[in-house]
Amino acid sequence: MKKLGWALPAICLLAVPAAAQTTDGTSTGDSAAADDGADDIIVTAQRRAERLTDVPISITALNGDALEAAGIRTSEDLSSAVPGLNFATNGAFAQPTVRGIGTTVSSAGSDANVAIYVDGVYQPSQIGNFSDLVDLEQIEVLKGPQGTLFGRNATGGAIRITTRAPSFTPTATLSASYGRFDDVRLTAYGSTGITDTLAVSMAFLYSDDEGYTRNIATGNRVSDLNALSLRGKLLFEPSDSVKLTLSGGHAERRSGAAFALGVLNSNSTSVNLPGSVKAGGPREVSLTFDPVINVNSDQASLTGEFDLGFATLSSISSYQKTKTYLVTDTDRTNLAIGRADLPGTQETYAQELNLVSNGSDSFKWFLGVFYYNDDAIGATIVNQGPIFNATRLKTEAVAPFGEVNIGLGNLTLIGGLRYNYERKDYEITRGALAIERNKTFKNLTPRLGLRYALTPSSNIYATWSRGFKSGLFDGILASGALVVNAVEPEKVSAFEAGYKYGRGRTSFSIAGFHYDYSNIQFQAFNPNAGGLTQVFNAAAAEIYGGEIEVSTELFPDFNVRASAAYTHSRYKNFPTATIFCPRGAPTYGNATIPLGALNPCTGEINSDGATGNELIRTPEFTASLAADYRVELARGDAVELSGSAYYSGRFFWDPGNRLKEGAYVLLNSEIAYVFPGDQFRLSLWGRNLANELYALYQPESAAGDSVAYARPRSFGVSAKLSF
């Protein structure tokens, strides 16, 4: 809590704009729903403001109030509210999986294949994409390949995070929370008009907790989280046809939960060595030092919107720089055997232009172009010695794209196309060995669809699309020589059909899908690659399933949201998967089972690797239920009740389907008293109330199996002041 001393004055400063006066009292932060005359959810998934019901894409859209009521505070928590999404952790790397499509690749410059956007700006850093959610307007999770609409590396889908726009009407919100494990969270948001054409907003977050896992070797608590972020926006509206928004932000995040790794089932080559002290339970680890995941990021963007009459031209220019430093105990014991330090820097420039038609409902179109320039540097330092491995990956990409919607009465025909061009320059140095390689990747991603309006409030749709995740490079040490492999792009062919209904506060959707997923990029430990991991094109897979979502106001001030998802996923062809079997006493660790060899763990010949197995991190069944209710009292005060439940079926962390995560249920709840005037709110909250024990991360290697557990039951109090 060292930064708390200046955090409190910063919060006070953010409250000042609420006292300022505007000249017109208008707010540019209002969504298109304000003109709709109903409470329909408005999304921008097709580059224009449309009712969620009218968009032929499977989307989960949640506003800030719904996220708060469900107890969702970080990006990782989104799994419990979005069917088909597993916001997975690969150590320090955010690797969300949607409908079975995710990644395991974590080398410098590699991208997740579920693209994340904040205010329209693509977020390339996997480490930087664990974020604390503050000043949110809405989150949209788009499922299925979004290459035509949102471009690079969206084979699984896209997560669009929209923060609140500056308002000409003075407004401010302050909140403070304290919970178990000395969990302190402070947030503030303030906005006001400066002139009749200029408005400003600022958002602030400070979060600190002492951790829920004890490192018995150091005596310290780990699995902690310390975060600080500040974002400012300046809105300039010189006329009704021009809007410019300048945004800037800084964030710092220090966490250790995903690296607080203990030995799983005593399976480790080190845990039984002389001097090793074993941890006593799931909330204990025995590590030589406390692990660290440090992230510092700075972002700036300029967004312009220009109404040209026949169309609206928008421009997004952005710059991001993310610095990371990771420290992990690779032997998972108190013995000073293995330590890895992983510094990295990623610097990104991007420019996007979109031209979206106005007016006609019978013929809609948009055209766009996206330019991307990224420079990612990473290194591995073993046991605090000299740099063992250094890599650099430069990416330059250009992608023109467009789509048309042709209305024929109640029927709408949809056609879109994106051309992807990417050049990648790769450098790797290991000791005296160094190699440079480059390669260009090109691809067309089409989208075709039909939408039929059954009524003004309901429709059926069917779409077919292709997804593309760019290729990359991987350097390994094989037989004493440094070898660089070109890893080919992933491809997805996706079909989806569904039904949507939406009117007022009620929405209902059901969708079915089928994917052919090929050239899957996979990262796994390779005993022949210098003891490190190797990235390779692993497999093909078939995925199909369905989802259902419903949201309604059962009666005044009582809202219910429910969802369920079924996902059937299988590797159709994965003979190169690394298949491990625990050796057991006295050596422990895992033996690699070659193709054609007997696997003593199953008693069968390893004839086809992971072929026929389930995809990693993909529960077959998930379901969620959330409700909130407000009871008005006699004096103008109120009581608010909210709760949510999330069920995850069992899934596997490895392609060999050996490391299984059992089914679990997460329960969150909150009760609040709202003072007269609705300006001040006090609440009691609880998360993971059933105290479920489940993993954040379970890696395997020849040295054994490890596990880092998620946060146990926590509870606390919070206060919120709005004016």
Side-chain angles (χ1 to χ4, degrees):
M1 301 179 64
K2 294 179 180 179
K3 297 168 183 168
L4 186 56
W6 67 266
L8 290 174
I11 291 175
C12 295
L13 287 173
L14 288 175
V16 171
Q21 298 297 315
T22 63
T23 56
D24 61 359
T26 61
S27 170
T28 60
D30 297 336
S31 72
D35 299 324
D36 192 70
D39 294 308
D40 297 307
I41 298 171
I42 304 299
V43 297
T44 54
Q46 294 190 127
R47 301 291 182 175
R48 67 180 77 244
E50 300 172 291
R51 296 190 312 164
L52 176 64
T53 307
D54 296 333
V55 179
I57 301 172
S58 187
I59 306 173
T60 296
L62 299 166
N63 62 26
D65 291 337
L67 293 164
E68 185 176 353
I72 295 171
R73 305 200 312 181
T74 68
S75 53
E76 301 99 298
D77 297 334
L78 287 172
S79 299
S80 63
V82 180
L85 169 66
N86 182 358
F87 205 101
T89 296
N90 181 3
F93 299 85
Q95 296 181 339
T97 299
V98 174
R99 293 175 171 175
I101 297 181
T103 189
T104 59
V105 182
S106 58
S107 54
S110 60
D111 305 283
N113 43 13
V114 175
I116 297 178
Y117 291 81
V118 177
D119 292 330
V121 177
Y122 175 59
Q123 308 293 306
S125 173
Q126 292 189 46
I127 304 177
N129 278 334
F130 289 114
S131 58
D132 298 270
L133 304 178
V134 64
D135 77 313
L136 287 181
E137 181 73 29
Q138 185 163 282
I139 289 182
E140 302 169 22
V141 180
L142 287 64
K143 301 160 196 172
Q146 303 299 323
T148 305
L149 296 167
F150 293 102
R152 67 185 318 272
N153 303 327
T155 50
I159 299 174
R160 293 173 48 80
I161 300 173
T162 304
T163 62
R164 294 167 67 179
S167 168
F168 286 93
T169 302
T171 182
T173 303
L174 307 175
S175 71
S177 174
Y178 179 80
R180 189 183 180 194
F181 310 113
D182 294 324
D183 180 4
V184 175
R185 181 181 171 93
L186 307 174
T187 68
Y189 176 81
S191 183
T192 190
I194 300 174
T195 69
D196 58 352
T197 60
L198 201 63
V200 64
S201 69
M202 291 190 72
F204 170 86
L205 175 138
Y206 170 82
S207 179
D208 179 90
D209 72 62
E210 298 303 319
Y212 56 86
T213 303
R214 177 74 63 182
N215 184 356
I216 62 173
T218 65
N220 299 326
R221 284 198 285 178
V222 291
S223 298
D224 56 333
L225 173 63
N226 312 95
L228 173 71
S229 66
L230 183 67
R231 176 168 47 239
K233 293 185 179 182
L234 188 65
L235 171 66
F236 179 50
E237 286 190 340
S239 69
D240 291 339
S241 59
V242 177
K243 180 165 66 174
L244 299 171
T245 304
L246 178 65
S247 300
H250 173 75
E252 301 174 15
R253 204 171 198 257
R254 182 185 186 278
S255 62
F259 277 170
L261 287 158
V263 175
L264 181 64
N265 298 326
S266 298
N267 184 28
S268 165
T269 56
S270 302
V271 76
N272 292 300
L273 293 176
S276 174
V277 179
K278 295 182 180 180
R283 305 301 179 197
E284 288 187 352
V285 294
S286 180
L287 304 174
T288 312
F289 51 86
D290 298 329
V292 171
I293 301 171
N294 279 344
V295 183
N296 283 269
S297 62
D298 294 285
Q299 298 194 22
S301 66
L302 177 63
T303 301
E305 296 180 24
F306 309 91
D307 190 342
L308 306 179
F310 73 99
T312 297
L313 174 67
S314 64
S315 168
I316 302 175
S317 308
S318 64
Y319 168 78
Q320 303 173 60
K321 187 172 185 178
T322 302
K323 293 184 177 181
T324 58
Y325 203 96
L326 318 178
V327 185
T328 182
D329 189 332
T330 56
D331 59 273
R332 325 299 193 211
T333 71
N334 63 302
L335 304 176
I337 297 175
R339 168 180 171 138
D341 291 51
L342 304 142
T345 302
Q346 188 164 2
E347 196 167 14
T348 308
Y349 301 87
Q351 173 64 52
E352 183 168 351
L353 295 171
N354 294 294
L355 189 64
V356 181
S357 65
N358 294 332
S360 173
D361 287 332
S362 60
F363 183 70
K364 297 179 181 179
W365 54 268
F366 73 77
L367 296 171
V369 62
F370 178 71
Y371 172 77
Y372 177 82
N373 190 299
D374 183 77
D375 188 0
I377 300 172
T380 302
I381 301 169
V382 178
N383 294 334
Q384 298 181 284
I387 292 178
F388 174 70
N389 194 75
T391 61
R392 184 171 192 173
L393 182 66
K394 293 182 179 181
T395 302
E396 188 170 32
V398 178
F401 55 92
E403 186 169 288
V404 295
N405 283 230
I406 302 172
L408 304 172
N410 288 350
L411 180 67
T412 301
L413 308 179
I414 303 162
L417 188 66
R418 188 183 193 101
Y419 174 71
N420 303 282
Y421 172 92
E422 295 204 9
R423 176 186 167 94
K424 299 211 169 187
D425 292 89
Y426 179 76
E427 303 173 15
I428 182 170
T429 303
R430 185 174 296 179
L433 303 175
I435 292 182
E436 296 183 10
R437 291 279 301 277
N438 65 74
K439 190 169 183 177
T440 298
F441 302 95
K442 303 174 184 179
N443 187 261
L444 284 172
T445 52
R447 179 178 182 238
L448 300 173
L450 297 171
R451 175 183 171 273
Y452 186 81
L454 300 171
T455 70
S457 302
S458 64
N459 67 82
I460 56 175
Y461 68 91
T463 61
W464 173 84
S465 60
R466 286 192 181 276
F468 165 82
K469 181 179 185 293
S470 182
L472 48 91
F473 291 98
D474 184 56
I476 64 170
L477 191 67
S479 302
L482 188 60
V483 179
V484 173
N485 298 317
V487 183
E488 295 302 316
E490 289 185 351
K491 296 180 181 179
V492 180
S493 179
F495 174 79
E496 179 178 313
Y499 166 82
K500 288 188 174 186
Y501 170 85
R503 185 174 182 180
R505 292 183 179 272
T506 298
S507 65
F508 173 84
S509 65
I510 185 169
F513 58 90
H514 183 276
Y515 297 164
D516 279 321
Y517 187 18
S518 60
N519 259 8
I520 299 173
Q521 298 170 1
F522 206 89
Q523 179 173 294
F525 283 95
N526 183 346
N528 300 315
L532 299 178
T533 58
Q534 180 183 359
V535 181
F536 53 97
N537 290 112
E542 180 184 43
I543 307 170
Y544 61 82
E547 296 158 354
I548 185 170
E549 292 188 69
V550 62
S551 175
T552 189
E553 185 180 50
L554 288 181
F555 50 83
D557 295 322
F558 184 56
N559 303 297
V560 176
R561 297 168 298 281
S563 64
Y566 167 74
T567 306
H568 175 94
S569 63
R570 295 292 186 274
Y571 292 112
K572 293 194 300 184
N573 181 32
F574 197 175
T576 57
T578 301
I579 303 299
F580 284 125
C581 174
R583 298 188 188 95
T587 57
Y588 294 96
N590 291 316
T592 304
I593 311 301
L595 279 174
L598 176 68
N599 186 342
C601 289
T602 63
E604 298 177 355
I605 299 295
N606 177 18
S607 58
D608 49 14
T611 302
N613 288 357
E614 296 180 28
L615 271 65
I616 64 170
R617 307 174 189 159
T618 306
E620 197 168 40
F621 291 99
T622 58
S624 66
L625 175 66
D628 58 85
Y629 180 47
R630 179 182 170 100
V631 181
E632 300 287 350
L633 303 179
R635 296 175 298 176
D637 48 352
V639 173
E640 294 179 344
L641 306 170
S642 63
S644 65
Y646 168 71
Y647 169 80
S648 171
R650 63 104 180 99
F651 63 90
F652 297 97
W653 290 94
D654 67 308
N657 287 183
R658 184 177 61 86
L659 299 179
K660 183 172 73 172
E661 186 70 46
Y664 60 89
V665 176
L666 298 181
L667 301 175
N668 300 330
S669 184
E670 183 176 67
I671 180 170
Y673 175 71
V674 183
F675 287 76
D678 275 358
Q679 288 188 313
F680 189 55
R681 184 178 188 270
L682 287 175
S683 62
L684 299 172
W685 52 264
R687 298 184 179 91
N688 190 10
L689 292 174
N691 203 30
E692 289 274 28
L693 181 67
Y694 64 102
L696 279 175
Y697 178 43
Q698 277 196 47
E700 63 173 358
S701 70
D705 302 323
S706 309
V707 61
Y709 288 104
R711 186 176 293 266
R713 180 190 295 120
S714 58
F715 41 81
V717 296
S718 63
K720 183 177 182 180
L721 177 63
S722 303
F723 48 94

